[in-house]
Structure formats: C-alpha cells, structure tokens
Amino acid sequence: MPAISRSHFSEIQSKSVPNGNDSLNEEQIEQEGFEDVTTSLISIPTAGRRFCRQFSEQSVDDIRLGHLFDADEESLSFTGKMERLPYKIADIKLAKSGRKALSMAEFEMPGVMRLRKIYGPTKPLKGVRLAGCLHVTAQTGVMIETLRELGAEIRWSCCNPLSTQDHIAAALVKAGIAIFAWKGETEEEKLWCIDQTIYFANGEPLNAILDDGCNLTRIVHEKYLHLTHAIHGGSEETTAGITKLRKLLKSKKLSIPVINVNDSVTKSKFDNNYGCGESLVDGIKRATDTMIGGKTVVIIGYGNVGKGCAKTLSGHGAKVIITEIDPICALQAAMDGYQVTTIAEACKIGHIFVTATGSTELIRGEHIMEMRDMAILCNIGSGQTEIDVVWLKANAIKIENVKPQVDIYHLPNGRAVILPADGRVINLSCAHGNPSFVMSNSFSNQILAQIELFTKKGQYPIGIHILPKTLDEEVAIAHLEYLGIKLDKLTPTQSAYIDVHPDGPFKPIYYRY
C-alpha cells in the first residue's frame, strides 16, 4: 500500500485556488433567492414506514441493520416522490457568525490547514462527488472546506439530529456547499437529509462516502445498492460505524472498500481519548451546571473513550468507578487507580453515570430504579441505546423538560433522574463536541483517506482497510510545530541497532501505543 512521501507531505505550497465544481455558490444564493429554502416546508415522504421519535438513531440503525442482514425483512425505503433541494438548514442569516467560528477553528486545526496548503493547488480530489454524513460542527466545516479546496464536490448531512451547529451550516451554505442539516431534526427528517446527498446538482450520483456511524453507507447499501459499483470507496469515523461495517462484511453484503479512520492511532488515541474527556465535562456542565468535584462518577466501559473520560473527571476531583466486561481493560482500570465493579453495584452509589462503549442496554430499568435521587445519566458512546431511554419514557410518571436537551424523569419510586440530550452523545448535543485541535488529527486522517481511495482506485479491494502507519505519523508531525515540539533524530547506529529507518515508521503495525 504505497504512502504519501514525507518530503511531499512536509512541502508547503502556495495558497490554493477556488474550486470551480461547486453545486451552488454565494452569488447563486443571493441572486436566486435560495434563502427561502430555510423556511420552506421540506418534502418528506409520508407513505412509508414512520419513525417513532422515542427511538434513537442507534435503535433505528440497529433495526435497519437487522433488515440488511435478513433478505426476508423489509428494507429501508421511502415511497412517493423525493424532492431535491439545493440545501436545507435552519437560517441562512446565521452565516456571518458561523464564518467567524470557522475562522477560529482553522487556527486550532494545523494539520487540516497544512493539508489544504499542500494539496489545494493540485486538486487530487477533482472528480470526486463526496456525500458526507457527520456532525455539522465548526471542526467538520473546516474539513469540508478543505475537501472542496482539494477538488471535491460535496453534499452533506448530519449523523446526529441534535449535533448540528446551525450557524456553521449557514456559513457553509453561504460559501456554496450543499448542506442538509439543522439542530433538532426528527429521525425521519434525518433520513430525508441523508437522501438529499445521494444525487448532485447535475444529476450525477455520489462516487465517494465520508461517514459517521455507518449512517450514509447503510442507506446506500439498502436503498441505492445499484450505485455502489461507481463508488470508489468510503471512510468511517467511529467505533460503532466500524462494528456495523464488519457485520456487513461478514455477511458478504459490503459492496465498497472502506478505510477505517477510527483505528488510525492519531484518531483513536487522541480524539477518542483526549477529546472526549474534555468535551464530556463541557457537556455535563452546560447541561446540568453540576459540580464534578466530590461526585462519584460511574463510567461504563474503559476503552479509549472511557480512559479519557476517567482521567479528566478524576482531574476535576471526582471519585471514578469503572464497569467493564473485558478483563484486560478492567485490569488497566484497576492499575490506573480506579475502583472496578459491576453496574448492579455501582448503580446504587453513583451521582453521575457515563456510558462510553458503542454497545446497547448498558443502563437498564433495573439499574435506574436503584439510583439515588437526581442521578445524571450521560451517554458519550454512539446513538441512544446505551441508556434504556425507551424504558424511561414508558415508565416515568412525569417527564419534566428543564431546558433544551435536558429532561428530568420522575420515577414510580419517588426518585428522579436527569437525562441530557435524550440519551444521545452529550458532548455534541449539549456542547460543541471535541476541541478543534484534537479533531484536526481525526479529520487529517479523513482527508488522507479520501485522497488514498480516489488516487488509488482499484488498489483497495472491497473490505475494511486502515491507513498506512507512515500517514499516521505524518498526521502527528503536522501538529507538533503548533505546540512547539521538536523531535530527535535516529543516528545511523541507532537506526541499524533497532532496525528502524531514520524517517520511520517508528513502530511495527502491531504496536498498541
């Protein structure tokens, strides 16, 4: 698998020129009156299966994936005419504030901006019709505009109904990018938005995917399977998405090559760890104004996300308890100084609960009924089924909305629990997600993945792949100067002794970091 050379990556070239392949542009928005799209009713099919709002994106995803694995089950489909719009957002008038936020994020994303400068002039993605489905945040916006600078045409939706930052969506539309996302979508609206990204303004379908949680890839495989022959590949951002892709691959129903960005070291050990730790606390405080110090916090899962959350919460003065199913992770947690026990025991003593696994049914009704009054239930895993929100809605005697994305569920036993974000990811639903700097690592991997897939079409067979370690190291290098970090160099003697090239890669593929 050939990699981009270190000398090429390190060469900073002149400022990139605008891409001429936009499906819409600022002049069109002003002259053709597209602002009306933000307030018009969207055309959503009503004859097909309706989605119950109490179920999450994860629950619906899992149900639909079950259909995908069973040919006898009904597949995801809409009936009726699907109207195609140039974009659909909350309010185009928010564009000015969104542009300011994007400019600030650019400064904190040195890796992504470096790739923009290196590859912008050569347009390695010219000819790519990229459909993306990932949280519409300032950090995502910087990546989207970089992908466009590299030559791609883009249509974009959001993988989470609560995570879109409306001012960012407006700024991107104002810049000529087709965005279909707004904060507070229903499940059906979310699927409608994804569907709007399949065909581009000229009538041509997508030929590349950038996904989070397998949302877009799943819909393409269920509803647009006939288009997969023209898709040169996709890239996936999350642990949960990779789990679903592996199910597809195992059942021999995956039809495109996919690069697993999640398991790049500069993603999983940085975004998942350092990023989630900081943004979790940000989300908890914005949602509940609670004090972390002195509280007992129960973290379900001690993977990369759980480790980062535990470290950050502990640093804020919390007593952290870990629950685990994996003996290695449990031993790691104990060696890091945390108490490790079962959720059945921990549910009785925790003030704050954090699910961090990407699994399902972790905090169930029997656990909730044992919790202290006003315990806070948070999810930073994928989707909504890590906490049994369906049980809560069915069994609460009263649901009290405190403010947007924060509800108190009053239980039959006289106690109550606080549920931020309706059980979805709290850091993106109640705050602004992971910090820009750590997302620069993740999104640099996404950009390199898209370059790999397009410039080496046919070299990646159908399946799930990871980026070469040399690119992982290049992503890290791209962020060192910003932090004032200097590297030592291997001497010829050292290089020969440990059998490592002076320019890397510095660790074998199996090294776990």
Side-chain angles (χ1 to χ4, degrees):
M1 204 182 302
I4 299 169
S5 69
R6 187 177 302 273
S7 60
H8 187 191
F9 191 94
S10 301
E11 179 184 0
I12 304 300
Q13 300 186 29
S14 61
K15 186 177 180 181
S16 59
V17 296
N19 172 33
N21 294 327
D22 301 333
S23 56
L24 64 158
N25 56 45
E26 184 171 346
E27 184 179 356
Q28 287 176 307
I29 293 169
E30 298 293 349
Q31 293 182 357
E32 299 181 27
F34 284 166
E35 289 90 344
D36 293 340
V37 177
T38 61
T39 55
S40 65
L41 292 175
I42 57 177
S43 174
I44 299 178
T46 56
R49 175 181 295 190
R50 297 289 298 185
F51 286 85
C52 180
R53 187 125 188 219
Q54 74 174 352
F55 290 101
S56 69
E57 58 177 325
Q58 180 76 23
S59 350
V60 174
D61 284 352
D62 289 342
I63 292 168
R64 294 295 185 249
L65 275 172
H67 294 166
L68 192 56
F69 299 147
D70 188 345
D72 295 331
E73 293 284 353
E74 176 189 357
S75 64
L76 174 64
S77 63
F78 290 126
T79 60
K81 182 180 178 182
M82 178 64 68
E83 181 185 355
R84 303 280 172 188
L85 299 179
Y87 69 86
K88 174 64 180 156
I89 59 174
D91 188 356
I92 193 67
K93 297 181 180 65
L94 300 174
K96 187 175 180 179
S97 63
R99 179 51 55 187
K100 292 177 181 178
L102 285 167
S103 297
M104 184 177 293
E106 286 177 356
F107 185 76
E108 268 278 290
M109 300 181 72
V112 170
M113 297 306 290
R114 189 172 184 175
L115 291 175
R116 187 184 295 187
K117 290 178 181 177
I118 292 171
Y119 295 107
T122 60
K123 300 287 185 283
L125 297 182
K126 185 175 178 58
V128 171
R129 294 183 299 276
L130 176 64
C133 183
L134 195 147
H135 310 282
V136 181
T137 63
Q139 297 75 33
T140 305
V142 174
M143 174 180 65
I144 290 172
E145 294 197 322
T146 300
L147 290 163
R148 184 179 64 168
E149 286 294 318
L150 271 56
E153 295 181 70
I154 295 169
R155 291 175 77 85
W156 205 272
S157 61
C158 189
C159 59
N160 184 324
L162 298 180
S163 64
T164 294
Q165 296 171 13
D166 289 325
H167 63 312
I168 300 299
L172 293 172
V173 167
K174 196 77 171 180
I177 298 168
I179 303 294
F180 302 88
W182 59 93
K183 191 175 182 72
E185 300 165 5
T186 64
E187 291 295 342
E188 190 171 24
E189 288 168 340
K190 172 191 161 184
L191 291 172
W192 178 89
C193 287
I194 294 174
D195 197 278
Q196 288 287 314
T197 67
I198 303 299
Y199 285 93
F200 283 63
N202 60 3
E204 292 292 321
L206 79 170
N207 62 14
I209 292 172
L210 196 159
D211 210 357
D212 181 308
C214 199
N215 283 276
L216 174 56
T217 306
R218 173 180 59 87
I219 286 178
V220 166
H221 277 72
E222 288 201 8
K223 189 178 177 185
Y224 298 100
L225 187 61
H226 61 287
L227 299 179
T228 56
H229 73 280
I231 297 174
H232 57 258
S235 55
E236 170 58 48
E237 177 78 3
T238 64
T239 304
I242 293 300
T243 298
K244 295 171 187 177
L245 286 167
R246 285 177 177 146
K247 290 180 181 179
L248 277 178
L249 184 63
K250 184 178 180 180
S251 64
K252 299 182 179 179
K253 294 185 178 180
L254 182 64
S255 300
I256 62 172
V258 178
I259 289 183
N260 171 6
V261 165
N262 181 72
D263 287 325
S264 291
V265 178
T266 45
K267 199 281 183 183
S268 62
K269 297 293 183 179
F270 289 81
D271 175 351
N272 296 15
N273 187 324
Y274 304 109
C276 289
E278 289 195 18
S279 61
L280 169 68
V281 172
D282 187 19
I284 292 174
K285 286 184 171 292
R286 291 194 197 211
T288 66
D289 298 314
T290 195
M291 182 81 179
I292 301 295
K295 299 294 197 303
T296 297
V297 181
V298 179
I299 298 176
I300 294 93
Y302 200 65
N304 289 317
V305 174
K307 288 179 174 69
C309 293
K311 180 170 59 178
T312 304
L313 289 163
S314 182
H316 277 72
K319 176 185 176 183
V320 175
I321 298 174
I322 304 296
T323 76
E324 254 298 344
I325 59 166
D326 186 322
I328 295 175
C329 291
L331 184 59
Q332 282 182 312
M335 297 292 283
D336 287 339
Y338 303 117
Q339 179 183 349
V340 183
T341 187
T342 63
I343 183 61
E345 293 184 1
C347 67
K348 302 172 185 177
I349 55 179
H351 295 93
I352 302 170
F353 295 82
V354 180
T355 56
T357 71
S359 185
T360 187
E361 296 184 359
L362 305 172
I363 295 179
R364 302 185 294 276
E366 63 264 31
H367 305 135
I368 295 170
M369 291 297 289
E370 293 287 334
M371 291 178 181
R372 65 173 71 219
D373 192 28
M374 296 296 280
I376 300 170
L377 310 186
C378 306
N379 172 39
I380 198 169
S382 181
Q384 192 185 17
T385 61
E386 300 201 19
I387 301 166
D388 195 343
V389 179
V390 174
W391 182 93
L392 263 177
K393 292 181 185 293
N395 289 275
I397 59 174
K398 179 184 177 183
I399 302 173
E400 181 182 0
N401 179 252
V402 180
K403 58 182 178 180
Q405 281 81 60
V406 181
D407 298 298
I408 298 175
Y409 286 77
H410 297 269
L411 304 172
N413 60 9
R415 294 193 288 270
V417 295
I418 302 170
L419 182 70
D422 205 30
R424 302 182 191 276
V425 284
I426 186 172
N427 59 333
L428 280 151
S429 301
C430 296
H432 289 167
N434 292 350
S436 297
F437 183 80
V438 79
M439 292 310 299
S440 181
N441 285 265
S442 293
F443 291 161
S444 292
N445 279 286
Q446 284 282 9
I447 293 164
L448 291 172
Q450 291 296 326
I451 294 173
E452 281 278 299
L453 288 165
F454 186 61
T455 60
K456 299 171 185 175
K457 286 185 286 189
Q459 296 183 36
Y460 285 88
I462 292 174
I464 303 172
H465 311 272
I466 60 172
L467 285 169
K469 186 172 285 291
T470 50
L471 295 185
D472 231 341
E473 291 178 353
E474 299 297 357
V475 170
I477 288 171
H479 294 82
L480 298 184
E481 182 181 355
Y482 182 80
L483 298 177
I485 295 171
K486 299 178 182 179
L487 289 176
D488 277 325
K489 292 283 292 183
L490 284 174
T491 67
T493 301
Q494 292 168 338
S495 176
Y497 188 82
I498 63 174
D499 193 26
V500 169
H501 191 279
D503 291 328
F506 298 98
K507 297 291 188 294
I509 191 66
Y510 52 80
Y511 187 80
R512 292 185 174 89
Y513 294 89

